[in-house]
Amino acid sequence: MAQVLPAERDLRRVIGDDETPDRELDGLDERFYLDLYRSLILLRTYDERSVVYHRQGRIGTYAIYWNHEAMQAGSVHALEDDDWIFPSYRESAIGLLRGMPVSTVLSWWRGHPEGWWNPADYNVASICVPIGTHVPHAAGMAWGMRLKKSPSCAIVYFGDGATSEGSFHEGANFAGVMNAPLVLFCNNNQWAISTPVSAQTRAEALVDKAVGYGIPGVRVDGSDVLAVYEATRDAVARARAGDGPTFIEAVTYRAAPHATADDPKAYIDQDRVDDACRRECLCRYEGYLRRLGLLGEEQAEEIRAWAAELMREGIAAAEAEPAAGPELLFANAFADPPASFASDLEELRRILG
Ligand SMILES: Cc1ncc(C[n+]2csc(CCOP(=O)(O)OP(=O)(O)O)c2C)c(N)n1
Ligand SMILES: [Mg+2]
């Protein structure tokens, strides 16, 4: 029988369980708690519906984030709207928390140009699929904010596997040296597809890497949305105070396949998946709210219905978009396109009929 590692029991937590009592955070009102709940439900609904849409052939391969919602919503709720978000594919729907339409994110997964948003509209950078390459981008953006004496900061999301990539180290080091107002948010779901975290590093914990860059690191329970919120709020306060970057390691165990194209049965530890499902983030937060007397079943149902309706409208809008024309393959690549493009496009049009 697999064991949950003792170190994981030492993570920073706010939401209690059978052994530990709930903690309360300062300065939060009822509105905050319910807004956070709404965000969790929106992300969860997006994720669960997307798996169904994929099976129906309505979106392409999809990177499931089930039980990562607490890391995403908890951290975004600690930001201001002017702060910049740099997501990886695991946070593909994080823009929804900034008012991005559902149809935009669905279009991205449908490979449709309507899925390409202008990052400046939401202060959400493009979804990064290459592992870790957005860490230096985020460090550069944050450094720029500092040079401009802006009060804003940036947050960059990446996985445990990304901590083995050169660009992660370059970005983290650069942010440290430049004292950039950056939150380095590591979603440690313990797997990089089928590679376990034990094959990524000899460090005891990923958060130990922060020491090498001379920046503070904190390790939290990634399925405790309030612990994530608290850690990010502290990191953002440090960034705004001119104290530079923070590394947050949020620990979970990946409970869903890496993506719809993956079959984890060959490598995953099913006991640990079951354990993660029992402690999944949405139910834990619902329990916390109920213990505070802040959430009734009718209200929860109203929020779930709202999110389901947004999804129905979103997929209808995404599917109503006309297919992109072949000229798009050649557009936006060159300021001064080579002459051959015209004949290439003509040939492509002939082939496509
Ligand atoms: C530079 C680069 N190398 C390899 C890949 C293939 N790849 C896609 S997802 C993935 C695993 C990443 O794992 P992790 O960083 O832990 O993020 P997670 O998917 O668990 O959120 C890999 C290796 C890639 N996308 N980019
Ligand atoms: Mg991972």
Side-chain angles (χ1 to χ4, degrees), residues 89-90 129-131 159-162 165 187 189 191-193 258:
Y89 54 83
R90 191 68 68 204
V129 177
I131 306 302
D160 41 290
E165 289 283 340
N187 120 50
N189 60 13
W191 291 97
I193 315 183
H258 167 75

